[in-house]
């Protein structure tokens, strides 16, 4: 018989979470249609204004709380919501409706809010879709104040508890940056996959997370006990005493494994035969700098800069970026810090940015294309990097490159900004090493050419897999088809490594596959001696590197190159790993 309590999804961030469920439902409350007498109209207008003030105050409180915990960048999301709440244009229209149609404040507010939501929802713009979550958050708060309901209705469940598991339809990057790692024991979402950006953030923050759990909202009641395993992708509600005991034993085992893995943090990343590897951290949010240092990163292989602006109302200034890059640089006085230029677009358009509506945002105006088309965004970033690189090993990395001309145009802008800084007598590095992300099949095809013009390659396996297999990286329905061990990806990884080697430049991998033990064997076996992963995965990756003889990895990788499908690649790597790996 099927156990109704057991749900399955995709494990996107390892770890076991056990706590009561809080349902985060960004669904608007039911608002009864209500008209008022003419004499009450101005009272309704005043009530609306009071509700907005109360909402703004609550949002400011949240912003300050998040600011204390995670810094200005993470709390910026609330600035965007505060701005939406205070939008005078929108409020003017609501007041007009109250006055002309004698509607109650909540009826008028809901009516106008619905209009805006529909407009944004139908625009097909990734940026506006991203903003709908903020819009809903604001609307829910205002409506709840007007209806006299506790705002926590949007967060149904024991939100005051020391720990809880968040159950939601979709975890947006915006919601993820708000999560309090000490309070959130885990996340279960109906949508999303291992490589959606919210998943990458959850992984970096070390929050156990299972995505793509069909029917989670219907099956999990607020306050019910939820047990989730972010490695296996299993979710169990209301576990029995026996299951709880079992889970606690698993948690203890996992903690022991973590402690064992912790022991390798101080050890060098060398294979049993003495081959040396470099392990770097992916840093998405300022608070991860510390984690990357703690978990033994030798530097930062991928500094994602676009999360600096998730939910923010303005683009970060040159000065803000300069401060941030210096801060990251100080965390790694001896290692490189690879700053990736803004990778806007796809699912990463910030509130601050006016993006056009597009049919296929992942094939659209994103990433390096945006930076080159909008130099007033790109130039301050380049200047901030050059200035911060005056006394640090900072490097620059261009995302989503598809042709040499993008590299040339970027290098030209960099040279121009360098000359301007010098002319103005501003302290800055003359230049910095510039590399490219290899994350499109076009870049792979041109790898030998690109290698002549850049200082390094870093393979973005998330996008490379997406664009090679034509599988949306964030679509839960296609998750089983998204496999970086597909021979079409494996062969490209080999091609890129060979091109880099021939040109005498380094090639590393910074996509999610670099944190999976089997892929680590494949990648090191193909010749990648530098990997960059989410900080919590560093100990595991290092233990794989230290446990599996390099010769075994090379042999397995060569066999994998001849495989005809992903399952065969996996079997070959499993067989190679089996004698050496316990932590899997
Ligand atoms: C990638 O595409 O693999 C990558 C590392 O970049 P992002 O996940 O930020 O797109
Ligand atoms: Mg990418």
């Amino acid at each position: 018989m099927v156990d109704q309590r057991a749900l399955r999804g995709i494990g996107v961030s390892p770890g076991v979470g056990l706590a009561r469920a809080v349902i985060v439902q960004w669904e608007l409350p039911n608002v009864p249609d209500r008209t008022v007498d003419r004499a009450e109209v101005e009272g309704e207008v005043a009530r609306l204004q009071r509700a907005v003030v109360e909402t703004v105050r609550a949002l400011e409180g949240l912003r300050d709380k998040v600011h204390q915990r995670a810094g200005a960048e993470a709390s910026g999301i609330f600035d965007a919501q505060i701005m939406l709440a205070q939008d005078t244009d929108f409020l003017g229209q609501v007041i007009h409706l109250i006055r002309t149609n004698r509607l109650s404040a909540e009826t008028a507010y809901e009516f106008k809010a619905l209009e805006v939501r529909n407009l944004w929802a139908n625009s097909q713009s990734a940026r506006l879709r991203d903003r709908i979550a903020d819009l809903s958050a604001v609307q829910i708060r205002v409506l709840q104040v007007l209806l006299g309901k506790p705002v926590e209705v949007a967060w149904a469940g024991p939100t005051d508890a020391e720990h809880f598991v968040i159950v939601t339809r979709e975890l947006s990057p915006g919601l993820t940056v708000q999560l309090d790692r000490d309070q959130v024991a885990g996340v279960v979402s109906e949508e999303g996959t291992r490589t959606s950006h919210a998943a990458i953030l959850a992984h970096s923050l070390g929050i156990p997370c299972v995505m793509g759990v069909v029917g989670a909202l219907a099956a999990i009641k607020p306050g019910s006990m939820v047990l989730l395993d972010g490695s296996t992708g299993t979710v169990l509600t209301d576990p029995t005493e026996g299951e709880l005991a079992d889970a606690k034993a698993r948690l203890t085992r996992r903690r022991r494994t973590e402690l064992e893995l912790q022991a390798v943090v101080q050890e060098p990343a060398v294979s049993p035969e003495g081959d040396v590897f470099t392990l770097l951290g992916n840093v998405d949010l300022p608070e991860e700098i510390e984690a990357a240092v703690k978990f033994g990163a030798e530097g930062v292989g991928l500094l994602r800069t676009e999360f600096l602006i998730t939910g923010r109302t303005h683009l970060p200034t040159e000065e803000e970026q300069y401060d941030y890059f210096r801060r990251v640089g100080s965390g790694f006085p001896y290692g490189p810090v690879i700053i990736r230029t803004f990778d806007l677009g796809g699912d990463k358009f910030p509130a601050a940015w006016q993006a056009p509506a597009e049919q296929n945002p992942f094939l659209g105006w994103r990433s390096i294309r945006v930076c080159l088309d909008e130099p007033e965004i790109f130039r301050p970033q380049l200047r901030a990097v050059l200035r911060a690189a005056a006394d640090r090993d900072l490097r620059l990395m261009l995302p989503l490159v598809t042709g040499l001309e993008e590299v040339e145009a970027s290098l030209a802008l960099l040279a121009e900004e360098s000359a301007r800084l010098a002319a103005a007598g501003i302290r800055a590095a003359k230049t910095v090493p510039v590399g490219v992300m290899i994350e499109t099949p076009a870049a792979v095809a041109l790898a030998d050419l690109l290698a002549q013009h850049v200082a390094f390659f870093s393979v973005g396996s998330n996008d490379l897999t997406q664009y090679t297999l034509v599988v949306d990286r964030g679509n839960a329905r296609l998750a089983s088809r998204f496999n970086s061990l597909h021979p079409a990806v494996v062969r490209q990884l080999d091609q890129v490594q060979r091109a880099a080697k021939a040109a005498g430049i380094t090639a590393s991998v910074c996509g999610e596959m670099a944190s999976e033990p089997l892929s680590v064997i494949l990648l090191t076996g193909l010749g990648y001696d530098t990997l960059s992963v989410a900080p919590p995965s560093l100990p595991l990756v290092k233990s794989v590197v230290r446990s599996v003889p390099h010769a075994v990895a090379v042999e397995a990788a060569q066999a994998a190159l001849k495989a005809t499908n992903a399952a065969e690649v996996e079997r070959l790597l499993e067989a190679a790993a089996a004698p050496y790996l316990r932590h899997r």
Side-chain angles (χ1 to χ4, degrees):
M1 207 177 85
V2 180
D3 185 350
Q4 303 286 345
R5 298 169 312 125
L7 301 168
R8 267 216 153 268
I10 310 155
V12 303
S13 175
V16 175
L18 173 66
R20 297 206 173 271
V22 164
I23 313 292
V24 180
Q25 283 243 45
W26 296 110
E27 272 164 26
L28 296 164
N30 241 337
V31 179
D33 283 342
R34 192 165 68 86
T35 48
V36 294
D37 291 340
R38 186 158 301 282
E40 290 170 322
V41 161
E42 288 313 308
E44 287 303 293
V45 171
R47 216 160 62 77
L48 171 74
Q49 286 162 338
R50 277 198 305 275
V52 170
V53 169
E54 194 174 319
T55 301
V56 168
R57 207 173 292 141
L59 288 168
E60 284 171 346
L62 275 170
R63 178 191 59 194
D64 296 345
K65 202 172 135 207
V66 174
H67 186 279
Q68 269 178 2
R69 223 190 54 234
E73 291 82 1
S75 66
I77 185 123
F78 293 107
D79 286 325
Q81 293 189 4
I82 290 166
M83 250 189 44
L84 278 174
Q86 293 172 322
D87 188 311
T88 45
D89 234 31
F90 174 76
L91 291 174
Q93 289 178 37
V94 178
I95 291 170
H96 183 72
L97 205 59
I98 296 175
R99 286 187 174 137
T100 51
N101 290 25
R102 286 196 283 115
L103 297 181
S104 73
E106 58 271 17
T107 310
Y109 190 92
E110 195 217 17
F111 191 84
K112 276 288 154 199
L114 213 66
E115 229 174 63
V116 178
R117 281 174 59 83
N118 284 342
L119 201 72
W120 288 11
N122 291 328
S123 78
Q124 291 187 329
S125 146
R127 182 190 73 88
L128 285 183
R129 271 209 306 277
D130 203 31
R131 294 210 73 190
I132 283 179
D134 285 334
L135 186 70
S136 306
V138 171
Q139 289 169 1
I140 288 165
R141 285 180 187 281
V142 174
L143 286 174
Q144 279 161 347
V145 174
L146 286 170
L147 291 167
K149 292 192 174 163
V151 167
E152 282 71 33
V153 174
W155 292 66
T159 45
D160 290 340
E162 209 178 317
H163 300 293
F164 51 78
V165 167
I166 285 186
V167 182
T168 186
R169 192 180 66 76
E170 184 169 17
L171 187 67
S172 67
L175 179 56
T176 318
V177 297
Q178 297 173 44
L179 299 181
D180 183 342
R181 173 179 0 182
D182 296 330
Q183 201 177 24
V184 177
V187 177
V188 175
S189 75
E190 292 195 339
E191 307 281 336
T193 66
R194 177 109 166 77
T195 50
S196 44
H197 283 100
I200 290 173
L201 279 174
H203 185 194
S204 296
L205 293 170
I207 299 171
C209 181
V210 182
M211 289 188 163
V213 184
V214 179
L217 283 171
I220 304 175
K221 300 285 164 266
S224 59
M225 205 60 173
V226 177
L227 172 63
L228 69 114
D229 188 325
S231 302
T232 58
T234 51
V235 179
L236 189 65
T237 54
D238 298 319
T240 61
E241 286 296 319
E243 286 163 344
L244 271 182
D246 199 41
K248 283 187 180 141
R250 254 162 61 212
L251 258 173
T252 312
R253 269 203 306 279
R254 195 173 291 267
R255 291 213 177 107
R256 193 176 308 129
T257 306
E258 272 168 20
L259 283 177
E260 280 170 23
L261 285 175
Q262 230 12 72
V264 306
V265 165
Q266 302 307 331
E267 302 292 332
V270 290
S271 73
E273 306 101 308
D275 304 85
V276 180
F277 293 85
T278 305
L279 300 186
L280 307 171
N282 291 350
V283 170
D284 307 333
L285 295 172
E287 58 196 291
E288 290 162 33
I289 304 169
E290 210 182 299
V293 174
K294 183 178 109 193
F295 288 119
E298 293 171 52
V300 176
L302 168 63
L303 184 74
R304 289 185 170 97
T305 54
E306 53 282 357
F307 292 113
L308 274 178
I309 38 185
T310 302
R312 290 186 60 160
T313 50
H314 67 281
L315 293 168
T317 60
E318 177 183 326
E319 225 42 47
E320 284 174 309
Q321 295 186 65
Y322 168 71
D323 287 345
Y324 181 45
F325 299 155
R326 276 190 64 82
R327 194 168 138 202
V328 184
S330 320
F332 302 92
Y334 308 110
V337 171
I338 299 178
I339 300 168
R340 180 174 74 181
T341 56
F342 286 139
D343 189 27
L344 303 172
D347 61 350
K348 291 186 291 193
F349 261 122
W353 182 245
Q354 297 297 323
E358 292 187 321
Q359 291 287 345
N360 294 299
F362 275 102
L363 300 180
W365 195 52
R366 56 169 299 208
S367 203
I368 191 68
R369 302 167 186 180
V370 174
C371 285
L372 289 175
D373 290 353
E374 302 285 341
E376 68 275 20
I377 294 176
F378 203 17
R379 285 182 189 275
Q381 184 160 59
L382 297 175
R383 290 166 65 88
V385 171
L386 286 167
R387 286 174 56 202
D391 48 14
R392 291 267 184 263
D393 181 3
L394 302 187
R395 307 175 189 177
L396 201 64
M397 180 156 76
L398 310 172
L400 209 82
V401 164
T402 53
L404 182 59
E405 60 286 358
E406 291 158 337
V407 177
E408 288 171 337
S410 304
L411 291 175
L413 283 175
L414 186 69
E416 271 177 40
E417 288 311 317
S418 170
R420 280 193 198 170
L421 286 167
I426 297 172
R427 189 162 176 269
K430 209 167 164 330
T431 190
V432 289
V434 177
V436 288
M437 290 196 72
I438 302 288
E439 53 181 354
T440 64
V444 176
L446 299 178
D448 56 338
L449 176 67
L450 293 170
Q452 305 299 323
H453 298 263
V454 298
F456 61 90
F457 283 165
S458 185
V459 179
S461 56
N462 308 331
D463 276 318
L464 184 59
T465 305
Q466 159 167 267
Y467 293 123
T468 299
L469 303 182
V470 200
V471 171
D472 177 349
R473 60 190 270 186
N475 186 336
R477 195 175 298 153
L478 299 177
S480 64
R481 290 185 165 89
F482 185 98
N483 192 340
S484 299
L485 296 180
H486 188 293
V489 180
V490 175
R491 290 177 188 208
Q492 290 184 82
L493 288 164
D494 182 50
Q495 191 182 334
V496 172
Q497 175 55 40
R498 284 176 190 283
K501 204 165 169 198
I505 64 170
T506 47
S508 61
V509 179
C510 63
E512 289 297 295
M513 77 180 298
S515 58
E516 289 158 13
L518 291 186
S519 303
V520 172
I521 298 176
L522 173 78
L523 296 171
T524 54
L526 286 175
Y528 288 93
D529 58 12
T530 304
L531 301 177
S532 189
V533 301
S537 289
L538 281 163
L540 176 63
V541 173
K542 195 188 277 180
S543 83
V544 175
V545 164
R546 288 176 59 82
S547 310
V548 181
H550 187 50
V552 170
V554 171
E555 199 182 318
Q558 287 312 308
L561 282 170
K562 298 193 190 91
T564 55
N565 55 53
E568 195 185 337
V569 174
E570 269 166 56
R571 268 198 308 278
L572 286 164
L573 295 171
E574 287 272 7
Y580 307 99
L581 296 190
R582 284 191 305 122
H583 304 302
R584 300 206 34 245

